[in-house]
Amino acid sequence: MNTVIASPPPAIVNVLRSLGVGEVNIGVSTGHDPFMGKGEEIISSSPVDGAAIASVRSADRSEYDAVIESSQQAFLEWRTWPAPKRGEVVRQIGEELRAHKADLGKLVSYEMGKSYQEGLGEVQEMIDICDFAVGLSRQLHGLTMHSERPEHRMYEQWHPFGPVGIITAFNFPVAVWGWNTALAWVCGNTCVWKPSEKTPLCSIACQRIVNTVFKRNGVPEGVGCIVNGGREVGEWLSKDHRIPLVSATGSTRMGRAVATAVGQRLGRSLLELGGNNAIIISDKADLDMSLIGCVFGAVGTAGQRCTSTRRLIIHDKVYEAFKAKLVKAYSQLRVGDPLDEKNHVGPLIDKDAVNNYLRALDLAREQGASIVVEGGVLEGEGSGCYVKPAIIEARPDMSIVQEETFAPILYLLRYSGDLEEAIAIQNGVVQGLSSAIMTLDLREAERFLSASGSDCGIANVNIGTSGAEIGGAFGGEKETGGGRESGSDAWKAYMRRQTNTINYGTSLPLAQGIKFDL
């Protein structure tokens, strides 16, 4: 049961060991005792240097069924724990994440390829949502309503669903799981996690951390489970009547498949899918401040965020000036090993992502776009997954501009009229996740945020499209799926609503004044 560690740097080997994933090969875990899966082997390779980090066995169907049964049994007890007591467990998980932040952030960076600072930020998101969930555990409130009938009281309350299936993507291999589990656990649900097969070690590390807390608190086995594997595991979850809610993060194509499968059995799905996010640069914008948000939004995580900035809609009056600022900023970007904090941009996740990036550049040229900053694959890098951030002048109606390419490609689009023209361009795509406007004009800002403004789930003023805080609900509209995770009242997605009416009188009057005498 030893992992196959090929040639990661010694510092990474030490990180793996400190997180408990350097000695044992784990495919399945029901929360206490992880064990090797019986399915196909998954090789975790780092896009940083191309090294094979470890092998993980995926689960077969029998192991999957055992995990679901364990999760169902655990739910029967876990739902009876007072919500503040469940919150105390989540609080301790947050403390363990604090203690392991540096190592887990480094593992995220190395296995996924994002910068070390972004890896640390992802772990911090998990810590933040744990803090949020602790407070929430004392505020799972319903409403009270006046009854039309005398000596009656009406109110509503919220109850947990049961096992919640969580499907996550490679680009945020730990944070999105944290968003879901922290809320689902304090609400009284159990969780079954299907992580991306591209980042299995991150899931194992998180499970190790959680297991420590669960054992210490006597949490029933099955409250938190992982099932590593490929597409088939996601299909099992989506079609499984024992899973009342499936939360899935990934591509729009994947989301359609999940929604169809879950909908056919009348289950519930929470979908966080693709984004084609735009920033409007008004002629009344602070261009220097705008530059920071645009560049980070476009090249952060090598353009592999669902909230990455893909389109800039720039007013004619400032177009050339802002383009010149962008070109200068891009010339200063350093692409390389994300664990070296002097670098701005790490690698794409794998060779398939590189091919999609190159395809998008070719299509842009074929459709008549003009290359402002040339892209291409960097030579001499070990993994072959390092690419140059590109800037392309394009038209809004080009089909490539309408697509989401998970890579650092930024399209520049012009507008010359009023703000309505820019908003129409921004809204003129099928995705609806994140959006922003850069302006110092209060009227423009408020119009952008109004019902006739941005049609996205997230709309910002004078900040970029990426970098959402956990205090607000996260999610988008249209083909982004319509789900909401993280803050605000997103907890309601993990619970079922129940309306209660209590008669404390001596007679039984009927609603709407109906008479029914015996």
Side-chain angles (χ1 to χ4, degrees):
M1 294 179 67
N2 292 328
T3 49
V4 181
I5 299 178
S7 55
I12 296 299
V13 175
N14 291 333
V15 165
L16 294 172
R17 287 173 177 156
S18 72
L19 292 171
V21 298
E23 303 295 337
V24 180
N25 177 338
I26 307 167
V28 183
S29 174
T30 55
H32 284 187
D33 299 312
F35 51 94
M36 187 186 298
K38 299 176 182 177
E40 296 182 357
E41 184 180 43
I42 300 171
I43 302 295
S44 173
S45 298
S46 172
V48 174
D49 54 15
I53 314 170
S55 68
V56 174
R57 283 284 179 186
S58 60
D60 66 9
R61 183 60 199 235
S62 65
E63 291 173 313
Y64 165 82
D65 285 331
V67 166
I68 300 304
E69 183 178 347
S70 175
S71 187
Q72 284 183 300
Q73 290 301 312
F75 172 65
L76 301 180
E77 178 182 342
W78 183 241
R79 67 183 177 183
T80 68
W81 285 38
K85 186 177 179 181
R86 299 192 295 255
E88 168 58 18
V89 173
V90 172
R91 184 195 68 78
Q92 293 178 36
I93 292 172
E95 291 302 310
E96 287 293 326
L97 290 170
R98 284 182 171 90
H100 292 88
K101 179 178 176 179
D103 284 339
L104 187 54
K106 196 162 290 185
L107 176 59
V108 168
S109 177
Y110 186 68
E111 189 176 29
M112 183 269 151
K114 64 176 59 177
S115 74
Y116 179 48
Q117 282 298 312
E118 290 184 81
L120 292 174
E122 186 168 345
V123 180
Q124 187 61 49
E125 282 194 68
M126 300 170 74
I127 295 168
D128 292 344
I129 197 64
C130 285
D131 289 348
F132 179 89
V134 173
L136 179 65
S137 68
R138 295 181 181 271
Q139 300 179 62
L140 300 173
H141 53 78
L143 300 174
T144 60
M145 292 78 73
H146 288 281
S147 173
E148 68 183 56
R149 290 169 283 189
E151 299 182 310
H152 282 60
R153 181 168 69 88
M154 295 177 62
Y155 69 97
E156 66 180 23
Q157 57 182 333
W158 296 81
H159 296 304
F161 278 130
V164 173
I166 301 169
I167 302 172
T168 60
F170 74 87
N171 59 332
F172 280 85
V174 298
V176 173
W177 169 77
W179 288 1
N180 281 273
T181 52
L183 298 191
W185 281 333
V186 298
C187 289
N189 301 291
T190 55
C191 296
V192 180
W193 182 17
K194 188 275 180 205
S196 169
E197 59 270 36
K198 298 178 181 181
T199 52
L201 299 184
C202 287
S203 73
I204 295 169
C206 289
Q207 188 75 6
R208 289 290 202 189
I209 291 169
V210 167
N211 287 354
T212 300
V213 176
F214 281 1
K215 287 183 178 180
R216 188 166 64 226
N217 289 270
V219 173
E221 183 170 359
V223 167
C225 310
I226 57 171
V227 183
N228 269 303
R231 178 177 178 177
E232 71 282 354
V233 177
E235 292 175 346
W236 295 342
L237 283 170
S238 300
K239 297 176 181 179
D240 197 329
H241 288 264
R242 297 168 295 181
I243 306 294
L245 171 66
V246 176
S247 175
T249 301
S251 68
T252 298
R253 177 194 57 78
M254 180 275 289
R256 283 198 183 97
V258 171
T260 300
V262 175
Q264 283 181 340
R265 61 178 176 86
L266 298 182
R268 302 194 188 199
S269 56
L270 194 167
L271 303 175
E272 298 290 355
L273 311 176
N276 191 352
N277 315 293
I279 300 178
I280 296 172
I281 310 294
S282 164
D283 60 327
K284 304 174 185 65
D286 179 329
L287 298 187
D288 290 331
M289 185 179 72
S290 301
L291 184 66
I292 298 171
C294 292
V295 174
F296 176 74
V299 307
T301 323
Q304 297 173 113
R305 293 182 175 218
C306 54
T307 55
S308 290
T309 305
R310 316 234 174 253
R311 300 174 294 144
L312 293 187
I313 304 164
I314 310 171
H315 196 282
D316 261 339
K317 291 182 180 179
V318 296
Y319 184 90
E320 294 299 331
F322 195 67
K323 182 174 75 170
K325 288 179 178 291
L326 282 169
V327 171
K328 182 179 179 181
Y330 269 55
S331 70
Q332 298 169 348
L333 291 174
R334 291 185 293 273
V335 182
D337 183 349
L339 292 171
D340 183 346
E341 296 192 57
K342 295 191 296 290
N343 292 324
H344 300 101
V345 184
L348 294 178
I349 186 65
D350 55 25
K351 294 293 181 61
D352 287 341
V354 173
N355 291 335
N356 287 334
Y357 160 84
L358 294 174
R359 167 188 166 275
L361 294 179
D362 289 341
L363 286 174
R365 293 187 186 96
E366 291 173 9
Q367 293 170 21
S370 175
I371 308 299
V372 177
V373 174
E374 285 284 350
V377 181
L378 285 180
E379 301 296 332
E381 295 292 342
S383 70
C385 295
Y386 291 86
V387 302
K388 302 173 186 177
I391 300 178
I392 299 175
E393 289 182 302
R395 300 188 313 275
D397 60 346
M398 290 179 174
S399 62
I400 189 61
V401 177
Q402 298 284 315
E403 296 180 16
E404 178 193 38
T405 303
F406 239 45
I409 299 175
L410 181 64
Y411 299 103
L412 306 187
L413 312 173
R414 289 178 181 262
Y415 79 104
S416 56
D418 56 19
L419 182 60
E420 278 65 28
E421 179 188 353
I423 291 174
I425 295 171
Q426 188 234 271
N427 293 347
V429 294
V430 296
Q431 307 87 355
L433 179 53
S434 188
S435 60
I437 185 172
M438 300 294 185
T439 182
L440 300 180
D441 186 299
L442 178 62
R443 288 178 175 175
E444 282 193 330
E446 291 293 343
R447 186 165 298 172
F448 179 74
L449 301 177
S450 72
S452 57
S454 169
D455 64 0
C456 295
I458 299 170
N460 299 326
V461 175
N462 291 330
I463 64 170
T465 59
S466 61
E469 299 178 30
I470 61 92
F474 179 89
E477 301 302 324
K478 301 190 292 188
E479 290 194 3
T480 301
R484 292 296 184 274
E485 294 173 335
S486 193
S488 185
D489 65 348
W491 61 272
K492 292 180 178 178
Y494 303 90
M495 304 193 83
R496 59 182 177 88
R497 187 195 308 247
Q498 184 181 82
T499 300
N500 308 113
T501 305
I502 300 172
N503 178 358
Y504 58 90
T506 58
S507 61
L508 204 161
L510 301 178
Q512 293 84 48
I514 295 174
K515 301 296 184 182
F516 186 78
D517 296 324
L518 294 177

